[in-house]
Amino acid sequence: KERFASISPAEFFKRNPELVGFSNPSRALYQSVRETVENSLDATDIHLILPSVKVSLDRIDLEKEVYRLTIEDNGIGIPPQVVPNAFGKVLYSSKYTIRQTRGMYGLGVKAVLLYSQMYQDRPFEVQTSPRGSNRVYYFKLKIDISRNEPIIFHRSSIENPTGWHGTIITVYLVGDWLRSKQKIYEYIKRTYILSPYAEFTFRDPEGNITYYPRVTNKLPRPPEEVKPHPYGVDIELLKYLIATLRYQYDVRSFLINEFQSIGEITAEEILKQAGVSSSTPASKLTDDQISKLVEVMKKYEKFRPPSADALSTLGEELITIGLNKVFSPDMVSAETRKPKAYQGHPFIVEAGIAYGGAIPPSEFPIVLRYANKIPLVYDEKSDVIWKVVEEIDWRRYGIEENQFPLVVLVHLCSTKVPYKSAGKESIADVEEIEKEIKFAIMSAARQLRLFLLERKKQEDERKR
Amino acid sequence: KERFASISPAEFFKRNPELVGFSNPSRALYQSVRETVENSLDATDIHLILPSVKVSLDRIDLEKEVYRLTIEDNGIGIPPQVVPNAFGKVLYSSKYTIRQTRGMYGLGVKAVLLYSQMYQDRPFEVQTSPRGSNRVYYFKLKIDISRNEPIIFHRSSIENPTGWHGTIITVYLVGDWLRSKQKIYEYIKRTYILSPYAEFTFRDPEGNITYYPRVTNKLPRPPEEVKPHPYGVDIELLKYLIATLRYQYDVRSFLINEFQSIGEITAEEILKQAGVSSSTPASKLTDDQISKLVEVMKKYEKFRPPSADALSTLGEELITIGLNKVFSPDMVSAETRKPKAYQGHPFIVEAGIAYGGAIPPSEFPIVLRYANKIPLVYDEKSDVIWKVVEEIDWRRYGIEENQFPLVVLVHLCSTKVPYKSAGKESIADVEEIEKEIKFAIMSAARQLRLFLLERKKQEDERKR
Ligand SMILES: Nc1ncnc2c1ncn2[C@@H]1O[C@H](COP(=O)(O)OP(=O)(O)OP(=O)(O)O)[C@@H](O)[C@H]1O
Ligand SMILES: Nc1ncnc2c1ncn2[C@@H]1O[C@H](COP(=O)(O)OP(=O)(O)OP(=O)(O)O)[C@@H](O)[C@H]1O
Ligand SMILES: [Mg+2]
Ligand SMILES: [Mg+2]
């Protein structure tokens, strides 16, 4: 006899931690560091604050491998009335918007708490003061897994005499430092290289303290929230936009106001092709009319391309500086492509190539993958970036040897990165994105070809 | 200013279809076929019904690529009062139990509906009659995404004069048949090869009808639901078991009754090591006592290994017959390992090797991956099975050439398969499982080595 039951999203991710990157104790430690650091960076640079992020990982139990992870940032803090849900309710987030952020699921830090609660019983602690607040708030909480609600063990606040703003979180985890050490250092270092405006401090369980100093005070332009692009809209999105309308728009005003890249003429053309009258109230559209509209919008070829306002690239200069710093190569080239879109989401691909110098030769290039400024460290071979690099014939660019000193960096930034899993480690193969990755790498590789031709020419001359 | 919001699980998976295998229209078609076929097989062979599964995929729109997918089975059907939730509520399932089933998340068919609703507006249709029922029930429904609840468009029932039992579902999807054709045929064929007791019929959009006849009436022993194994228990699981207790057990009876492999002596030893009195009522245990118990249970080495009752292997005979049928090789070997456990979940790894004959030589073996009798077709390179096959030095088994005709089949069965994503295409690298895969392949490969040595010896003799 089959027994039917429904479970909460907290129960679902608790039962299946490998779906959120917690597949074993060493990955769990890594994932806990990266999810909290990404939250701290989203709370700073996007809000024009020069990030100062302090990470401490201390072993607090000599028998059991229990660690205390503390992350402190100088970010915008969290309003006290939403703190319990922000940390205690799975699928709760301030990043469900159309804007490039590192976070996107409303899961990250909750997955850390779910894992923390599995093997030890100290609650999660958070201290926060929203920017401009005159109080510092302090909470101890856990997740009530079957209900997907926070359980508050302690709540207090004190005056904030120094005007400090930011967030300090403390979580206790059973982990495996020795096996995750190298990946955690790689993550911090690769984050730092491309965030020269940020300072990081990392104290590891062996007591080593590494300080990564700020190199510049120049922040990148923060991404802005934008409206959905009509290219790749779907029926349920349209229904959702209609259901949450604040005004009694007719369908023509609805299209113009609720989407980017639709002006009066475009709206009229779309409605004509869909056979829908412009004066129809948006809330009165039938399912069939909505379906027709979506069909027309998906095929319409004359939309302005999506706005890059929602995106924040690294830029060719930063990629070049970063590759030079890490690899001391003989040549570097970088390319930032124009904005494109997939399923209504704007995206930009950037690529960088470094060759020679101190790069160790190997059979396959060193591939550095980034998405929304996050370094991707695991699951390399299932990433679409890897697939593209593998399919490139490097001999066409002048590389003759079986072993060659080459680094390929690829950065995908988007209002929605299509990760293969909620653990955010590799990018799914979406056709529009795969194409752009290929063009970006080929474009940077053409510079490599010119460099190798020039170098060969100089060697031939020297021989005569 | 950050705007906070919570979303339903339906909204979460609708926004992120790539997390459930719907990353593009061709994969969406594949995923829709495989999720529904797996539901039909779970509704038959586990319940000692010889499966008859009919799949029809028809193109119903010549302009838009809209397909109608219909799956009919002779399974146990679905009770009418749970039909709306079974298809209309994300995270609703009858497989949240400790027993080997193909389904496990409570997501599969709902993901099909979510995708169906994105690009076309016909509702989902289901016709079902539970085994023994004298009525046939008919529903038309959709998912209300923001609420994660079913919307019922139509509900009716008629008498069931023939005593038919089973389920027929019909769903409309925008897809890409030409790009998914080969994968869908591969999925059906690889499912059929290892389910000789099942018959399949498949009508594709080009009108081709393929009939896969039943070869035997002998069904495998169905897996039974078991209690959790104490090895790898965690704090939240213990709390959940205590919270859902039907009797006022003391902690000793709780351990004996709620877990497999714990008898009176074992329970006493565990309680002694944890410093918890045997007569403590289970519901009165403190967080600290629960934490201590979990710590002791994870380290305790004298538990009986987990029961294989919850599992259902293919068996060496079936693997051998299947490989012979498909590849007509010169030799076949198969190995079914003993049950092990990870995180409290029993699992068994089986491997099969086929060499020579009609197998085309290539640089890397053909790898056929299975989990809980499901063929895994995508994401090969990120699978732990691939990782193990790649790390094996095949020359140690007598393979000298650069190109060789070799097939490696690996089947993982478990009460919980640790997939890397909810799209169920590749297995995460859990250490205990990786070890068992390695031992199973090496053991089957030793037979290959003996065969190649024997063959070489015969060739040498013929030369003299
Ligand atoms: N250090 C922090 N400073 C400010 N706000 C924070 C911080 N950490 C978490 N938050 C808030 O809590 C919310 C939930 O964080 P969580 O990591 O669970 O989800 P997310 O970052 O929105 O998405 P993702 O699951 O992709 O990480 C965030 O959206 C953010 O508003
Ligand atoms: N053809 C069918 N016959 C009988 N029951 C079915 C059938 N299809 C679905 N069900 C029921 O509906 C439930 C939900 O199906 P769904 O595919 O969403 O989840 P699942 O199979 O339990 O897990 P998964 O997400 O891993 O597939 C199943 O657990 C099963 O009880
Ligand atoms: Mg986050
Ligand atoms: Mg299913």
Side-chain angles (χ1 to χ4, degrees), chain B residues 369-428:
Chain B
R369 303 168 291 135
Y370 287 85
N372 285 6
K373 305 193 179 179
I374 302 169
L376 307 184
V377 167
Y378 284 92
D379 299 355
E380 187 179 43
K381 298 214 171 86
S382 61
D383 200 302
V384 66
I385 293 173
W386 178 270
K387 172 174 188 260
V388 172
V389 174
E390 202 176 26
E391 287 173 2
I392 289 179
D393 184 1
W394 292 97
R395 289 168 305 176
R396 293 189 44 209
Y397 296 95
I399 291 179
E400 305 282 336
E401 317 85 327
N402 271 341
Q403 303 243 339
F404 45 96
L406 181 67
V407 175
V408 180
L409 183 154
V410 177
H411 177 225
L412 167 70
C413 49
S414 178
T415 54
K416 182 192 152 187
V417 175
Y419 294 107
K420 290 192 115 151
S421 96
K424 292 186 197 136
E425 281 300 340
S426 61
I427 303 168

Side-chain angles (χ1 to χ4, degrees), chain A residues 35-36 39-40 42-43 73 76-78 86-87 92-95 102-110 167 424, chain B residues 2 4:
Chain A
E35 290 289 0
T36 45
N39 283 347
S40 292
D42 274 348
D73 66 60
I76 55 165
I78 306 156
F87 297 102
Y92 188 87
S93 167
S94 64
K95 298 164 200 172
R102 295 166 181 85
M104 60 186 284
Y105 293 132
L107 269 182
V109 74
K110 275 78 83 178
T167 303
K424 291 185 197 137
Chain B
E2 297 288 297
F4 290 85

Side-chain angles (χ1 to χ4, degrees), chain A residues 2 94 117-118 235-236, chain B residues 2 15 94 117-118 235-236:
Chain A
E2 297 287 297
S94 64
Q117 292 175 205
M118 280 173 73
I235 291 174
E236 287 294 341
Chain B
E2 297 288 297
R15 286 168 168 250
S94 63
Q117 292 176 208
M118 280 174 73
I235 291 174
E236 288 292 341

Side-chain angles (χ1 to χ4, degrees), chain B residues 35 38-39 42 95 103-104 108-109 424:
Chain B
E35 289 289 0
E38 285 157 28
N39 283 346
D42 274 348
K95 298 164 200 171
M104 61 185 282
V109 74
K424 292 186 197 136

Side-chain angles (χ1 to χ4, degrees), chain A residues 62-117:
Chain A
L62 286 162
E63 282 186 33
K64 246 164 93 175
E65 226 179 314
V66 183
Y67 298 87
R68 177 182 57 230
L69 172 64
T70 300
I71 316 268
E72 173 176 349
D73 66 60
N74 60 338
I76 55 165
I78 306 156
Q81 66 275 14
V82 300
V83 163
N85 281 342
F87 297 102
K89 188 173 178 62
V90 172
L91 302 185
Y92 188 87
S93 167
S94 64
K95 298 164 200 172
Y96 291 140
T97 59
I98 307 182
R99 170 187 58 155
Q100 175 184 326
T101 49
R102 295 166 181 85
M104 60 186 284
Y105 293 132
L107 269 182
V109 74
K110 275 78 83 178
V112 180
L113 270 81
L114 290 174
Y115 184 82
S116 159
Q117 292 175 205

